[in-house]
Amino acid sequence: IITYSYKIGVFNLKSNIPYIQYTYINEIDGTSILTLDEMIDDHNLFVPLEQYIDNIYGAIESLKPHYSLNEAEPKRAFGTSILTYLNYIKNKNNQHYKRNTRLICFLAGLPNYGYGTLLSNRYLQCVEKDTNSDLLMHAYNDDYKKLAKDAVDLNVGIDLYIINIRQVFLDLGSLKDLIKCTGGNLLYYKDLNHCTLPRDLYQQFQKKLAFQCLLRIRTNIEYTIINTYSDIMNDDIYDDLYKFSICDTQRSILFDFQHNNSSGFEQSKELYTYIQIAFVYQYNQHSILRIFNKKIPIAKTWGDYYNALNMSVITATITNKAIAHTLSEGVYHTKLILEDWIVNLMKCTNTIVNNSTTNNNNKNNDDEDAIYGLKQINTLKNIIHYIHALIYSPLLYTIEEEDIDSNWYLN
């Protein structure tokens, strides 16, 4: 258990009486003056849960705020605490502590001290100067992205539980990489009266987790991956290789493919195309390799195309593309794009209806064509309804409608 304020503390969990060792923070570079190695013995930092559960309860109960109640804003060296832990793991990685780690972090205010300091007036400056508030969706600096990259390299997944009962600006746009890049979870609470944190924490621990995850996808030469929408990082060396620290059975990853030329599959004489997915991970200290070979029929007609559509994939794709566009172009421009999609889809629907009416009048329509047209219309109508709901959902609220941290949490 590591605590942070204007100093970093670490509990000796083998002590029956709660005992915590502190170190102060170097104000020049934001690092802790002492390392964890210098503060505590290795065997007292990590302990078996069942054997020392009473000591852990005692340590948690002894926690007290390390600031004066008259202080306008307490100091929170959140980034320094994570940096201190990662440096410890890095130094021990070739020894006894080469392990998979899930780091559970709790935050109740803006990190405003030490490494990874964020500015509370960043929000006010955007509002008062009437500048583009969508800038708040982006990171203030790269400190937490660097921490996330180190965490992935050290097989550390980070979950972040935020309690924001004061409704203050926490700059989740800067903190997001800790969760997104490591494969962790973000849980955000505004009200203690209806706070489900204990239940959520229990449910997270009940999930089966894989560690040290590597994912690679290979495709036919006609098309390739152009984008990914998930909490993963591209490998620095190999193409189409992705890595993340932890993964559970509920995590989904969306890939966007594109043909390498305008002809698509027109020159192909094959009836199928193939995708190979290789997934390597550790579970219960065992390395496991899963290889999936997927044979996908090539649509030769629009009927084949519509018959193969999956609405859950379509809605997931639209949502992730809208989120990505929000981060790059802003909420207002994203809503305009979605409205254009609705107009185009309504044109397609009207065209199908008109064609069906013409065919009926000419009596050239058979049952198969009628069913095909109905499927087209139903699919397009469902997509139109979903996009319309997305435009007016909290996911695309502006800063005037919803605070920016809640907006990013929904993203």
Side-chain angles (χ1 to χ4, degrees):
I1 297 178
I2 299 174
T3 67
Y4 60 89
S5 57
Y6 62 91
K7 55 186 176 181
I8 302 297
V10 57
F11 275 99
N12 179 349
L13 295 176
K14 287 191 174 180
S15 173
N16 293 329
I17 300 174
Y19 175 73
I20 186 168
Q21 177 70 37
Y22 290 106
T23 182
Y24 290 93
I25 295 170
N26 188 331
E27 295 190 1
I28 297 177
D29 58 6
T31 60
S32 59
I33 294 177
L34 297 178
T35 65
L36 284 184
D37 281 316
E38 297 170 323
M39 295 169 65
I40 191 171
D41 293 334
D42 295 343
H43 64 277
N44 292 328
L45 180 61
F46 295 105
V47 297
L49 180 63
E50 296 81 4
Q51 185 177 353
Y52 292 95
I53 187 67
D54 291 336
N55 294 358
I56 294 172
Y57 278 134
I60 294 174
E61 290 293 332
S62 70
L63 288 174
K64 297 179 180 179
H66 293 284
Y67 62 92
S68 170
L69 294 177
N70 297 324
E71 198 172 4
E73 184 69 19
K75 293 179 178 179
R76 304 180 190 90
F78 176 66
T80 302
S81 66
I82 296 178
L83 178 64
T84 302
Y85 177 77
L86 293 180
N87 286 339
Y88 172 84
I89 294 296
K90 187 182 300 183
N91 293 335
K92 295 292 181 181
N93 213 25
N94 295 321
Q95 302 176 29
H96 179 64
Y97 288 113
K98 187 176 182 180
R99 61 177 69 189
N100 302 317
T101 307
R102 186 179 188 180
L103 194 60
I104 311 295
C105 302
F106 299 90
L107 185 65
L110 186 75
N112 56 6
Y113 189 64
Y115 185 85
T117 293
L118 302 175
L119 301 179
S120 59
N121 61 353
R122 185 173 173 231
Y123 175 85
L124 296 176
Q125 288 174 351
C126 270
V127 174
E128 291 174 356
K129 295 181 180 180
D130 197 26
T131 57
N132 185 5
S133 59
D134 296 312
L135 293 174
L136 295 173
M137 297 291 285
H138 299 276
Y140 170 67
N141 55 41
D142 293 332
D143 290 347
Y144 290 98
K145 189 170 186 176
K146 293 176 182 177
L147 288 177
K149 189 177 186 305
D150 289 341
V152 172
D153 293 338
L154 296 169
N155 307 319
V156 177
I158 300 176
D159 289 343
L160 182 57
Y161 293 77
I162 293 180
I163 305 173
N164 190 14
I165 58 176
R166 295 185 299 156
Q167 305 289 302
V168 296
F169 176 59
L170 298 181
D171 202 352
L172 291 188
S174 297
L175 296 170
K176 65 180 184 293
D177 289 313
L178 284 180
I179 305 100
K180 289 177 65 66
C181 297
T182 64
N185 298 284
L186 171 65
L187 292 97
Y188 186 78
Y189 309 93
K190 290 183 176 181
D191 185 3
L192 285 181
N193 294 327
H194 304 92
C195 181
T196 58
L197 192 153
R199 183 187 66 191
D200 295 337
L201 193 59
Y202 174 79
Q203 290 176 346
Q204 291 296 329
F205 277 109
Q206 291 297 107
K207 293 180 180 179
K208 293 182 179 180
L209 286 182
F211 291 86
Q212 299 187 36
C213 305
L214 289 174
L215 180 70
R216 187 165 193 178
I217 294 184
R218 293 177 176 174
T219 64
N220 284 22
I221 60 174
E222 290 93 349
Y223 61 101
T224 186
I225 297 173
I226 61 168
N227 211 343
T228 59
Y229 303 95
S230 187
D231 307 339
I232 56 179
M233 294 185 66
N234 295 72
D235 189 77
D236 296 332
I237 301 176
Y238 300 102
D239 294 333
D240 299 335
L241 179 64
Y242 307 90
K243 56 185 180 180
F244 40 108
S245 299
I246 57 178
C247 179
D248 59 51
T249 55
Q250 295 180 343
R251 187 168 302 281
S252 60
I253 303 173
L254 179 67
F255 293 93
D256 205 354
F257 296 91
Q258 178 175 282
H259 287 290
N260 293 325
N261 55 65
S262 58
S263 62
F265 292 114
E266 290 180 2
Q267 306 300 323
S268 176
K269 297 180 180 179
E270 300 292 333
L271 297 176
Y272 298 90
T273 185
Y274 298 88
I275 293 179
Q276 183 186 77
I277 303 173
F279 185 37
V280 182
Y281 61 94
Q282 278 199 2
Y283 182 70
N284 288 340
Q285 303 302 318
H286 297 288
S287 294
I288 300 173
L289 170 63
R290 301 289 191 210
I291 298 179
F292 305 89
N293 294 302
K294 182 70 174 178
K295 183 169 72 171
I296 304 173
I298 296 176
K300 298 298 183 180
T301 66
W302 282 108
D304 294 338
Y305 177 77
Y306 275 94
N307 287 333
L309 290 179
N310 185 315
M311 278 305 299
S312 63
V313 175
I314 292 174
T315 55
T317 304
I318 293 172
T319 305
N320 280 279
K321 283 181 175 290
I323 292 172
H325 201 275
T326 298
L327 295 175
S328 60
E329 302 294 336
V331 172
Y332 179 75
H333 192 266
T334 301
K335 287 185 175 183
L336 293 179
I337 294 295
L338 292 175
E339 289 171 357
D340 287 342
W341 287 4
I342 290 179
V343 171
N344 291 332
L345 290 170
M346 290 182 69
K347 288 181 180 178
C348 292
T349 304
N350 292 334
T351 300
I352 295 170
V353 172
N354 291 334
N355 290 340
S356 299
T357 303
T358 302
N359 290 334
N360 284 329
N361 293 335
N362 295 331
K363 298 183 179 180
N364 293 326
N365 187 42
D366 55 24
D367 291 340
E368 185 176 346
D369 290 335
I371 293 172
Y372 165 56
L374 182 62
K375 282 185 177 180
Q376 283 183 298
I377 293 173
N378 288 337
T379 301
L380 292 173
K381 283 173 62 178
N382 290 334
I383 297 174
I384 291 170
H385 291 160
Y386 181 78
I387 295 176
H388 183 269
L390 185 62
I391 291 174
Y392 294 97
S393 71
L395 191 67
L396 294 178
Y397 277 173
T398 62
I399 195 171
E400 291 80 15
E401 299 170 297
E402 182 65 275
D403 67 89
I404 196 70
D405 288 320
S406 295
N407 188 279
W408 192 92
Y409 172 63
L410 290 172
N411 282 325

